[in-house]
């Protein structure tokens, strides 16, 4: 197997790891296998079907073989996709280059970093943290639970460190040239502590949930925790900006007790103490919290590792509470909205998969949390601008409801993955007359099971705020949701549903594709806004969207039969 540089770095701390009871040779071997597997794209049943389809058409045969070879090469595509994180990291530059109010600048910088790293952890790596498949192989070997769990944690930390390094690279360079080498070292040390803190805190939260709940309730609670974490993250992100009174070019900070609940402010504390000479109690306490809490949380997590692994076994327990009643409802719903029996069958199949697929929910539900909270956060900006309730309810802030659709690209991209991907052989044996029924049934299941319930709840709240006058606008948004789902499918969803294995690392180019689709969503919102400039313009936009949706959902999948 390939020798990884990260493992060579890990060798430097072999002695302390062995002192806390870790079996280092086994730990290193587990990590080496995991990293090797991450670098290999396993050819999937779905991909194989497409390749065979092309071969039947007498084209692209050579290309398929070449692509197959590329999939097996050990180069990790995740590394090559990090340039997008470097671009995102450019937003930190102004906070690093302008001014010397370090508490403000570094609080905002660490808020952005917290959001980026924690979002990646709970959406991309929760499934790794809660993975129990290793147990089948590893527990029959003489490997202790502490070693297995630490291997998981280091595996996650390796990828989080790549993401963090990419995001912080521009600001690290700027810190070196603007503030000097000592500032750079402090910044670098705080970033490492922040990563440790985020991983340990998230793992401890999962540990608490695992300890308190059992069976199917436990699996649901984990998904709710993910949604809650995402919402707390977004609200905390907003609170950090409200710590400071920005009057003109001056920044004022008034200490309050609740500010101790915001970790990004802790990590800004050492800069204010070391480089601005602020030695008052609150700044020193922030600095101490930034140093001690990550170390303490990491220590507690290390001590609880064996029990964490023990409680993970609960995730393999089966339950059946409420399944029959829910399945019956969705089966009937499918018969109403699907045009053929085959489409209704795949609607039912996809509904069951969306309900039962644990890894799918672990990856998708954090974006569900963003869809819930984003429309309201942007609407609250109006209050910050000094508008009263009457002014807001008579305005056009209801257009922020478009943000509830930001989960669509993530879900469409994830629909092709499954923990039971090997079962995709059924697509080749099922008596399918038209494969479009498979895609339409799956997309309708996503809309009915995940997106429309969320949209309906938010639409009711928005109507309570803005009145019935926005009903035509909500219908426009609803039709945009249908059309946007189809466009997302065309651009990023052209693979058989549930036919690929979940990858530990995000798909290459996934971030750029998501940004492109969000830009398309912005175009729809802009057209909606412009339609409001004309009398009855929104009704004209509504009719156009209705016609386009009618054509798309009746004829837009015909190419799949070619």
């Amino acid at each position: 197997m390939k020798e990884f540089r990260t493992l060579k770095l890990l060798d430097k701390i072999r002695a302390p790891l062995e002192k806390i009871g870790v079996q280092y040779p086994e730990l290193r071997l587990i990590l080496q296998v995991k990293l090797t597997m991450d670098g290999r794209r396993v050819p999937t049943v779905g991909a194989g079907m497409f390749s065979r389809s092309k071969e039947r058409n007498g084209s692209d045969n050579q290309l398929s073989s070449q692509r197959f070879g590329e999939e097996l090469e050990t180069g990790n595509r995740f590394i090559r996709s990090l340039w997008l994180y470097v671009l995102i990291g450019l937003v930190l530059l102004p906070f690093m280059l302008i001014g010397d109010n370090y508490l403000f600048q570094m609080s905002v910088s660490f808020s952005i970093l917290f959001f980026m790293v924690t979002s990646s952890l709970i959406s991309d790596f929760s499934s790794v943290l809660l993975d129990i498949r290793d147990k089948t192989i590893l527990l029959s070997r003489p490997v202790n639970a502490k070693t297995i769990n630490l291997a998981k944690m280091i595996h996650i930390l390796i990828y989080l460190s790549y993401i963090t390094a990419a995001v912080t690279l521009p600001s690290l360079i700027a810190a070196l040239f603007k503030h000097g080498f000592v500032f750079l070292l402090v910044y670098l040390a705080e970033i490492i502590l922040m990563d440790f803190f985020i991983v340990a805190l998230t793992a401890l939260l999962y540990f608490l949930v695992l300890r308190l709940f059992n069976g199917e309730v436990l699996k649901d609670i984990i998904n709710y925790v993910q949604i809650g974490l995402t919402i707390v993250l977004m609200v905390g992100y907003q609170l950090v900006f409200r710590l400071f009174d920005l009057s003109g070019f001056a920044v004022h900070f008034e200490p309050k007790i609740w500010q101790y609940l915001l970790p990004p402010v802790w990590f800004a504390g050492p800069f204010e103490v070391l480089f601005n000479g602020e030695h008052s109690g609150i700044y020193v306490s922030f600095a101490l919290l930034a140093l001690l809490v990550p170390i303490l949380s990491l220590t507690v997590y290390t001590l609880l590792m064996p029990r964490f692994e023990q409680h993970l076994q609960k995730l393999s327990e089966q339950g059946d509470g409420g399944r029959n009643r829910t399945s019956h409802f969705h089966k009937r719903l499918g018969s109403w909205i699907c045009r053929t029996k085959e489409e209704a069958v795949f609607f039912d199949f996809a509904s069951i998969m969306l309900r039962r697929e644990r890894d799918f929910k672990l990856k998708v539900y954090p974006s569900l949390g963003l869809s819930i909270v984003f429309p309201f956060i942007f609407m609250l900006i109006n209050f910050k601008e000094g508008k009263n309730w009457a002014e807001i309810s008579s305005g056009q802030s209801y257009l922020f409801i478009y943000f509830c659709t930001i989960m669509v690209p993530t879900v469409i991209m994830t629909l092709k993955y499954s923990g039971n991907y090997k079962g995709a052989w059924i697509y080749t044996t099922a008596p399918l007359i038209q494969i479009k029924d498979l895609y339409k049934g799956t997309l309708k299941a996503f809309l009915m099971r995940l997106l429309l319930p969320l949209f309906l709840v938010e639409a009711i709240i928005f109507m309570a705020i803005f009145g019935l006058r926005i009903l035509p606008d909500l219908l426009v948004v609803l039709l945009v949701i249908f059309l946007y789902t189809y466009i997302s499918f065309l651009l990023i969803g052209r693979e058989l549903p549930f036919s690929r294995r979940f990858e530990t690392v995000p798909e290459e180019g996934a971030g750029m594709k998501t940004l492109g689709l969000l830009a398309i969503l912005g175009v729809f919102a802009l057209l909606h806004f412009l339609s409001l400039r004309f009398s009855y313009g929104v009704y004209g936009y509504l009719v156009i969207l209705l016609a386009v949706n009618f054509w798309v959902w009746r004829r837009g999948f015909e190419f799949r039969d070619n």
Side-chain angles (χ1 to χ4, degrees):
M1 280 187 290
K2 183 179 177 181
E3 189 62 35
F4 295 90
R5 290 179 184 172
T6 46
L7 296 182
K8 291 180 180 174
L9 284 175
L10 190 67
D11 291 339
K12 309 282 185 192
I13 56 169
R14 174 174 181 161
L17 289 176
E18 287 181 335
K19 280 185 180 176
I20 61 171
V22 174
Q23 297 166 294
Y24 187 78
E26 288 79 2
L27 172 77
R28 198 180 194 285
L29 188 58
I30 293 170
L31 285 170
Q32 195 172 15
V33 171
K34 284 177 179 288
L35 293 173
T36 302
M37 294 298 292
D38 293 342
R40 293 175 178 170
R41 291 278 184 180
V42 179
T44 63
V45 175
M49 286 181 66
F50 281 116
S51 296
R52 286 195 295 276
S53 173
K54 288 175 179 177
E55 288 165 11
R56 281 197 298 272
N57 292 333
S59 64
D60 291 336
N61 191 11
Q62 186 179 354
L63 182 60
S64 295
S65 301
Q66 183 182 347
R67 193 169 297 166
F68 180 81
E70 289 173 357
E71 298 290 348
L72 287 177
E73 71 175 356
T74 54
N76 195 326
R77 298 183 175 195
F78 171 70
I79 304 298
R80 297 198 291 269
S81 67
L82 288 177
W83 64 269
L84 183 62
Y85 289 97
V86 177
L87 282 182
I88 295 172
L90 293 176
V91 301
L92 297 176
L93 284 182
F95 301 106
M96 203 58 62
L97 295 173
I98 301 172
D100 57 358
N101 190 324
Y102 295 123
L103 190 69
F104 168 68
Q105 294 165 228
M106 300 312 290
S107 292
V108 174
S109 298
F110 275 102
S111 297
I112 295 170
L113 290 174
F114 253 80
F115 180 75
M116 293 294 301
V117 176
T118 312
S119 299
S120 295
L121 177 63
I122 60 178
S123 62
D124 296 327
F125 300 109
S126 286
S127 56
V128 181
L129 196 62
L130 300 172
D131 191 8
I132 55 174
R133 287 169 294 190
D134 289 352
K135 279 178 168 289
T136 310
I137 301 171
L138 295 176
L139 286 188
S140 59
R141 270 72 175 172
V143 185
N144 62 34
K146 184 174 284 186
T147 303
I148 295 173
N149 216 338
L150 187 62
K152 275 185 190 176
M153 186 178 180
I154 294 175
H155 187 207
I156 293 169
L157 275 172
I158 288 171
Y159 286 106
L160 280 186
S161 64
Y162 284 140
I163 292 173
T164 311
V167 174
T168 56
L169 181 63
S171 57
L172 283 168
I173 296 172
L176 177 63
F177 285 100
K178 172 72 177 177
H179 304 289
F181 187 66
V182 177
F183 189 97
L184 173 72
L185 286 181
V186 174
Y187 186 30
L188 198 58
E190 297 243 309
I191 290 169
I192 294 170
L193 285 172
M194 181 194 71
D195 272 0
F196 283 145
F197 175 63
I198 290 172
V199 174
L201 188 67
T202 308
L204 288 172
L205 190 59
Y206 282 137
F207 173 77
L208 186 65
V209 175
L210 288 166
R211 182 180 168 82
L212 294 177
F213 299 94
N214 294 293
E216 287 301 311
V217 177
L218 168 64
K219 297 170 187 175
D220 292 336
I221 290 291
I222 286 177
N223 296 132
Y224 297 143
V225 166
Q226 282 191 299
I227 295 173
L229 263 178
T230 309
I231 293 173
V232 168
L233 200 62
M234 278 307 304
V235 173
Y237 183 75
Q238 296 297 317
L239 284 176
V240 168
F241 281 92
R242 282 157 179 73
L243 287 178
F244 304 93
D245 179 19
L246 303 176
S247 305
F249 291 100
V251 180
H252 303 286
F253 173 73
E254 185 179 348
K256 291 188 174 65
I257 192 72
W258 59 268
Q259 291 159 357
Y260 285 101
L261 297 175
L262 300 173
V265 187
W266 306 346
F267 288 92
F271 296 95
E272 198 67 22
V273 173
L274 293 174
F275 302 105
N276 270 348
E278 290 282 358
H279 295 114
S280 59
I282 190 163
Y283 297 111
V284 174
S285 57
F286 283 154
L288 289 174
L289 285 171
L291 177 66
L292 298 178
V293 173
I295 295 173
L296 182 65
S297 55
L298 193 63
T299 305
V300 172
Y301 174 64
T302 305
L303 294 173
L304 292 175
M305 274 180 187
R307 295 177 68 186
F308 182 84
E309 196 66 26
Q310 185 182 351
H311 287 303
L312 270 182
Q313 194 58 35
K314 291 181 181 179
L315 291 173
S316 62
E317 297 172 1
Q318 297 294 321
D320 59 357
R323 284 186 176 181
N324 293 334
R325 188 170 61 250
T326 309
S327 296
H328 182 69
F329 169 75
H330 281 93
K331 190 171 285 188
R332 178 168 292 184
L333 183 63
S335 66
W336 291 339
I337 64 172
C338 296
R339 298 186 67 228
T340 66
K341 284 184 179 178
E342 290 81 3
E343 189 181 318
V345 166
F346 283 111
F347 174 88
D348 193 37
F349 168 70
S351 296
I352 293 171
M353 291 297 289
L354 294 178
R355 190 187 68 219
R356 293 183 180 176
E357 187 71 57
R358 187 166 63 89
D359 287 344
F360 176 85
K361 290 196 282 189
L362 286 174
K363 285 182 176 291
V364 164
Y365 276 43
S367 61
L368 192 64
L370 291 179
S371 293
I372 292 171
V373 75
F374 260 145
F376 299 104
I377 282 182
F378 282 99
M379 201 168 66
L380 288 174
I381 292 174
N382 288 307
F383 284 108
K384 191 181 177 185
E385 292 173 351
K387 293 182 180 177
N388 57 39
W389 189 258
E391 289 173 322
I392 291 173
S393 60
S394 61
Q396 295 174 346
S397 301
Y398 55 81
L399 291 177
F400 287 127
I401 200 171
Y402 274 98
F403 281 103
C404 79
T405 62
I406 60 172
M407 67 183 291
V408 172
T410 302
V411 178
I412 297 295
M413 200 176 291
T414 313
L415 276 175
K416 60 191 169 195
Y417 297 110
S418 172
N420 301 304
Y421 69 101
K422 290 181 179 177
W425 58 267
I426 197 164
Y427 296 136
T428 62
T429 57
L432 268 176
I433 300 173
Q434 294 178 315
I435 202 167
K436 67 179 181 181
D437 292 331
L438 168 60
Y439 296 110
K440 288 173 72 175
T442 304
L443 292 179
K444 287 179 180 178
F446 151 62
L447 286 169
M448 293 299 158
R449 187 161 190 92
L450 290 180
L451 189 52
L452 288 190
L454 172 66
F455 172 75
L456 287 176
V457 171
E458 296 203 347
I460 291 170
I461 296 172
F462 271 65
M463 274 201 291
I465 297 171
F466 296 96
L468 287 175
R469 68 182 179 89
I470 68 168
L471 188 57
D473 298 278
L474 294 177
L475 290 175
V476 165
V477 178
L478 182 63
L479 291 172
V480 167
I481 286 174
F482 293 149
L483 187 56
Y484 186 55
T485 300
Y486 172 76
I487 292 172
S488 299
F489 163 74
L490 277 186
L491 296 180
I492 59 176
R494 290 187 176 188
E495 290 192 42
L496 292 173
F498 315 113
S499 62
R500 292 183 61 176
R501 184 173 71 91
F502 280 108
E503 304 289 348
T504 301
V505 296
E507 186 178 340
E508 183 184 17
M512 184 53 70
K513 291 173 185 173
T514 303
L515 285 179
L517 282 167
L518 290 178
I520 292 173
L521 180 64
V523 172
F524 279 119
L526 179 62
L527 290 174
H528 190 168
F529 177 75
L530 292 176
S531 73
L532 296 172
R533 306 292 99 188
F534 304 96
S535 300
Y536 304 105
V538 68
Y539 294 101
Y541 191 36
L542 182 67
V543 171
I544 292 171
L545 285 171
L546 194 62
V548 174
N549 268 287
F550 181 78
W551 184 87
V552 157
W553 287 92
R554 284 183 68 90
R555 310 289 296 177
F557 294 82
E558 296 291 340
F559 66 92
R560 287 289 171 184
D561 291 330
N562 295 331

